[in-house]
């Protein structure tokens, strides 16, 4: 069959409140054109993030009722630990309330002034935690990973030559080598198994622990199955196990590829490191058998992990992005290719040639998309990255608009609606104007700044 259907039925629904274009125009004005300030009831399709926004299954809701809320030694922890270890065979599995809590614990131990952390691309909370410890974070993704139109199958790969010379240059100041799969900040692009193994080998040769940021491990494994030679006939679970087999630890946000609305973990093999991590965990998160989560959350994660590696789900998941991208391209809209695992990216700078980068083309597209169809997307460009620590403003490397796709939440008709809204936008391109920022905080301005149309 050519039609790839959603491999689930719907048992429980959340109504979407329809709004009119006039209402949305007024709402935009009321939030100073910052989409983060919208109430979610005023959004028809919310593509702000895929983090914690997925739909849980009937089995996950059932597991939630089994949650045992004992402070210590809960069977829910045992089920969580077994489910993680089934895929990622680490010795020590430490639950946290989110991925960034796992990072904060890890870098409170490994970080510090003078330390250096390489990765393909650090996610922003990872970078934040590294830098907050006084250490420095460096991104060593392959050159193809920075070119929106390049069709390389594994644009998240680490540049191995750069890693080798980085480790020679920085020597003992590198506490571990990191790798993000898929490469979230680089557009959800995958890392090949060959590259993962090569990074592990280089790290080992230099005596450095190798830690994977595994937030989208299942999407990454599906790309490996589809694109890497010799992997096509293998089970997703087996590919996942191979991805983590040579690693010394991982950080994870269960809000991504564990189908949960909250949660995360830090996993380690080194017992001394794990002991330090647990001591820190007790200070900041909670006792090691719940670590900032309720027993029911641990159950939802355990069950979610058994569902996320389902190939029918992953086929539908990845195909959704490709489906949207193919149709946007047919409308002449520049997109980042190939489709990533969790989101579709529009190249707004290439599309809106008459809006200069410092007039925020990504913001112009994101606001227009909301006005036309009530779709909430996210600017990833000059609004987010343009303000420099010295106060100057410069254009970001790219001006993208991200449509992050929540897991199991929307259907093909929602995808068709998104495409139709883009068609409407494309037909009225000449009306699009840029924006001016009228008010901004000192840091992370994109969350709260105010805009005014030019
Ligand atoms: C979301 C994410 C994190 C942080 O996880 P939270 O659960 O949001 O704290 C870290 N790394 C990557 C790659 C992510 O996508």
């Amino acid at each position: 069959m050519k039609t790839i259907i959603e491999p689930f039925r719907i048992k429980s629904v959340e109504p979407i409140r329809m709004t009119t274009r006039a209402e949305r125009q007024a709402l935009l004005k009321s939030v100073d054109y910052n989409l983060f300030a919208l109430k979610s009831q005023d959004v028809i399709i919310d593509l702000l993030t895929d983090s914690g926004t997925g739909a849980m299954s009937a089995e996950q809701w059932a597991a939630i009722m089994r949650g045992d809320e004992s402070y210590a030694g809960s069977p829910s922890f045992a089920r969580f630990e077994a489910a993680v270890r089934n895929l990622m065979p680490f010795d020590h599995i430490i639950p946290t309330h989110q991925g960034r809590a796992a990072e904060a614990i890890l870098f409170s131990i490994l970080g510090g002034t003078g330390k250096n952390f390489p990765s393909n691309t650090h996610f922003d909370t990872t970078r934040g935690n590294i830098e907050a410890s006084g250490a420095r974070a460096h991104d060593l993704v392959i050159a193809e990973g920075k070119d929106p139109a390049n069709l390389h199958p594994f644009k998240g790969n680490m540049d191995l030559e750069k890693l080798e010379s980085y480790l020679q240059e920085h020597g003992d100041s590198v506490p571990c080598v990191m790798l993000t799969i898929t490469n979230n900040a680089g557009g959800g692009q995958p890392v090949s198994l060959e590259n993962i193994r090569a990074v592990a080998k280089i790290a080992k040769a230099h005596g450095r622990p190798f830690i994977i940021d595994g937030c989208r491990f299942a999407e990454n494994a599906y790309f490996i199955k589809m694109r890497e030679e010799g992997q096509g006939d293998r089970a997703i679970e087996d590919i996942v196990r191979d991805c983590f087999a040579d690693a010394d630890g991982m950080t994870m946000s269960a809000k991504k590829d564990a189908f949960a609305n909250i949660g995360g973990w830090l996993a380690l093999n080194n017992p001394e490191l794990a002991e330090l991590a647990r001591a820190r965990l007790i200070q900041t998160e909670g006792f090691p058998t719940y670590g900032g989560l309720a027993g029911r959350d641990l159950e939802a994660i355990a069950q979610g992990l058994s569902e996320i590696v389902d190939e029918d789900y992953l086929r539908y998941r990845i195909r959704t992005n490709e489906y949207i991208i193919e149709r946007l391209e047919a409308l002449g809209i520049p997109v980042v290719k190939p489709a990533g695992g969790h989101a579709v990216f529009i190249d707004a700078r290439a599309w809106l040639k008459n809006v200069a980068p410092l007039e925020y083309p990504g913001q112009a597209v994101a606001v227009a998309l909301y006005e036309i169809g009530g779709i909430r997307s996210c600017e990833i460009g000059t609004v987010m990255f343009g303000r420099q620590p010295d106060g100057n403003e410069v254009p970001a490397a790219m001006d993208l608009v991200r449509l992050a796709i929540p897991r199991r939440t929307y259907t093909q008709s929602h995808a068709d609606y998104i495409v139709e809204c883009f068609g409407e936008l494309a037909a009225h391109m000449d009306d699009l104007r840029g924006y001016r920022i009228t008010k901004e905080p000192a840091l992370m301005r994109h969350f709260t700044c105010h805009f005014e149309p030019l």
Side-chain angles (χ1 to χ4, degrees):
M1 289 297 153
K2 278 216 290 279
T3 308
I4 296 171
I5 62 169
E6 289 82 12
F8 47 80
R9 299 181 295 187
I10 294 167
K11 177 180 305 229
S12 178
V13 299
E14 279 183 287
I16 293 174
R17 189 177 83 82
M18 294 302 186
T19 47
T20 63
R21 189 162 179 160
E23 265 178 86
R24 294 192 292 270
Q25 281 164 344
L27 286 163
L28 279 168
K29 212 161 173 218
S30 76
V31 297
D32 299 289
Y33 301 90
N34 190 323
L35 303 179
F36 283 99
L38 287 169
K39 294 194 176 73
S40 63
Q41 316 89 280
D42 295 330
V43 176
I44 293 177
I45 297 189
D46 206 343
L47 308 180
L48 193 58
T49 176
D50 68 317
S51 178
T53 52
M56 289 211 291
S57 66
E59 286 301 323
Q60 281 180 293
W61 285 109
I64 276 184
M65 281 308 295
R66 277 197 299 276
D68 180 307
E69 305 303 341
S70 305
Y71 190 90
S74 160
S76 298
F77 174 73
R79 279 192 281 271
F80 160 83
E81 189 184 38
V84 174
R85 200 169 279 147
N86 175 45
L87 294 171
M88 297 112 177
F90 293 112
D91 292 341
H92 304 275
I93 295 159
I94 299 168
T96 59
H97 81 279
Q98 285 198 210
R100 67 197 67 187
E103 294 166 352
I105 291 170
L106 182 66
F107 298 117
S108 76
I109 302 166
L110 296 184
T113 310
K115 301 283 171 62
N116 291 289
F117 291 91
S119 183
N120 49 350
T121 311
H122 292 282
F123 181 64
D124 55 11
T125 60
T126 321
R127 176 175 283 278
N129 275 298
I130 289 171
E131 290 176 351
S133 81
R136 289 190 307 167
H138 297 100
D139 299 334
L140 308 178
V141 74
I142 56 170
E144 291 89 334
K146 294 183 209 159
D147 172 3
N150 193 299
L151 288 172
H152 191 288
F154 292 102
K155 287 169 84 170
N157 280 358
M158 180 90 85
D159 187 323
L160 300 172
E161 276 174 31
K162 277 195 189 152
L163 178 64
E164 181 63 50
S165 49
Y166 184 96
L167 288 170
Q168 279 171 18
E169 185 190 332
H170 292 287
D172 283 346
S173 75
V174 182
C176 71
V177 173
M178 298 220 36
L179 190 67
T180 314
I181 66 171
T182 58
N183 188 15
N184 182 358
Q189 297 292 332
V191 181
S192 70
L193 184 54
E194 188 187 17
N195 193 257
I196 294 172
R197 286 175 167 154
V199 170
K201 203 168 154 195
I202 294 173
K204 195 168 187 167
H206 287 263
R208 305 290 135 202
F210 171 41
I211 309 282
I212 296 179
D213 176 341
C215 293
R216 294 179 182 80
F217 71 87
E219 289 165 13
N220 199 78
Y222 184 75
F223 281 120
I224 288 173
K225 182 175 169 102
M226 289 299 113
R227 297 180 185 172
E228 192 158 344
E229 213 179 306
Q231 300 296 326
D233 294 329
R234 304 189 61 216
I236 296 291
E237 286 99 319
D238 290 336
I239 297 175
V240 170
R241 286 180 196 117
D242 280 357
C243 290
F244 291 94
D246 298 334
D248 300 293
M250 71 179 293
T251 56
M252 176 74 188
S253 168
K255 301 173 76 169
K256 323 292 173 45
D257 273 358
F259 278 138
N261 301 122
I262 198 73
W265 66 84
L266 171 64
L268 295 164
N269 280 338
N270 181 311
E272 289 90 41
L273 215 56
E275 196 179 318
L276 290 171
R278 287 203 180 95
R280 181 82 191 161
L281 182 85
I282 292 172
Q283 270 174 25
T284 59
E285 292 281 292
F287 191 73
T289 60
Y290 71 85
L293 293 171
R296 54 178 168 268
D297 301 322
L298 294 167
E299 294 279 357
I301 294 169
Q303 177 60 28
L305 284 176
S306 75
E307 297 175 9
I308 200 83
V309 289
D310 176 52
E311 208 177 310
D312 292 330
Y313 157 72
L314 288 166
R315 181 181 301 113
Y316 138 81
R317 168 96 177 137
I318 302 304
R319 180 62 199 147
T320 303
N321 302 348
E322 290 168 354
Y323 178 87
I324 295 172
I325 277 187
E326 283 165 13
R327 277 154 188 79
L328 295 185
E329 275 212 287
L331 291 167
I333 299 171
V335 291
V336 177
K337 289 197 297 183
H342 67 291
V344 167
F345 291 80
I346 317 300
D347 186 347
R349 187 180 295 173
W351 192 24
L352 302 195
K353 297 224 166 55
N354 54 351
V355 177
L358 291 179
E359 296 171 4
Y360 317 125
Q363 187 65 15
V365 169
V367 169
L369 202 56
Y370 177 74
E371 183 185 326
I372 288 170
I375 297 166
R376 175 153 68 171
S377 57
C378 185
E379 191 262 12
I380 302 207
T382 304
V383 175
M384 199 178 267
F385 303 120
R387 183 64 71 198
Q388 302 305 298
D390 65 8
N392 281 332
E393 191 182 31
V394 295
M398 295 189 265
D399 277 297
L400 303 179
V401 175
R402 183 182 73 183
L403 312 176
I405 313 293
R407 293 171 179 75
R408 297 193 294 212
T409 303
Y410 294 112
T411 66
Q412 183 172 343
S413 79
H414 294 110
D416 289 333
Y417 174 85
I418 293 164
V419 172
E420 188 180 340
C421 291
F422 269 101
E424 182 68 16
L425 215 172
H428 297 95
M429 287 289 290
D430 297 340
D431 302 344
L432 280 191
R433 291 165 300 167
Y435 284 81
R436 167 168 58 229
I437 291 181
T438 55
K439 193 173 160 217
E440 66 181 280
L443 284 173
M444 307 276 255
R445 66 175 179 177
H446 55 285
F447 289 122
T448 54
C449 67
H450 291 182
F451 298 91
E452 204 174 72
L454 289 170

